[in-house]
Amino acid sequence: MYTIKEVAAEVGESEHTIRYYCKKGLFPFLTRDKNNVRKFSKEDLVGVRIVLCLRDTGMPLSEIQHYMELCAQGASTLTERLKIIRQQKENAYRQMAEFQKKIDHLEWKERHYMELIQTGAEDDCNPIQHK
């Protein structure tokens, strides 16, 4: 069994965030020991990781909570959960495409600066043109 501190270290998240998500009901599988301390099993880490994955791909916490509630209901919700996961995957692909455009722009800017440094030319693309 893992404490919040151990879970946070295992998944690379802050203890504060894990506690907050516990309070929001995102981990309905949690148990507590005799001292009322939250405990996570090794299997519970799967749930923690999907919550963090959904959050990191932009899903609002209210929708993550709904997803976790569906998970708690069992196999009868598999079709609905599949739809949610597919939709979130598509959102992640869109985000990835947008980030690729930003990376492309940064790479262009890097090449531009390297060329200016090599040639000694003025920066004709300076966002703050000094006159």
Side-chain angles (χ1 to χ4, degrees):
M1 298 299 277
Y2 298 87
T3 63
I4 286 180
K5 182 177 185 173
E6 292 167 330
V7 169
E10 181 73 24
V11 299
E13 190 56 69
S14 73
E15 292 175 49
H16 172 78
T17 298
I18 300 298
R19 276 193 193 85
Y20 178 72
Y21 290 174
C22 288
K23 290 177 185 171
K24 289 297 235 179
L26 297 180
F27 308 129
F29 45 77
L30 278 184
T31 59
R32 292 182 182 258
D33 67 13
K34 63 183 181 195
N35 297 318
N36 206 30
V37 174
R38 294 177 188 101
K39 292 293 185 174
F40 294 77
S41 70
K42 186 173 182 107
E43 293 77 22
D44 294 339
L45 294 178
V46 173
V48 172
R49 285 188 173 100
I50 190 62
V51 164
L52 297 175
C53 176
L54 293 172
R55 178 210 58 192
D56 290 346
T57 56
M59 182 180 277
L61 292 184
S62 61
E63 291 179 29
I64 296 172
Q65 186 174 25
H66 175 68
Y67 172 81
M68 294 304 284
E69 288 166 357
L70 292 172
C71 290
Q73 292 174 31
S76 65
T77 65
L78 281 171
T79 301
E80 190 173 352
R81 286 186 276 155
L82 175 62
K83 181 180 173 186
I84 290 168
I85 291 299
R86 283 181 172 163
Q87 191 172 41
Q88 199 57 28
K89 182 182 79 169
E90 288 305 313
N91 289 343
Y93 276 121
R94 275 193 293 282
Q95 289 174 3
M96 192 168 59
E98 286 301 314
F99 269 104
Q100 186 59 56
K101 288 177 188 175
K102 292 171 180 156
I103 290 168
D104 292 347
H105 183 76
L106 292 170
E107 286 177 345
W108 173 84
K109 198 69 165 173
E110 178 184 30
R111 286 189 307 273
H112 179 69
Y113 286 154
M114 288 172 55
E115 182 180 314
L116 293 175
I117 290 167
Q118 288 174 352
T119 64
E122 287 294 318
D123 184 3
D124 58 347
C125 296
N126 186 340
I128 302 177
Q129 295 293 330
H130 296 282
K131 297 180 181 182

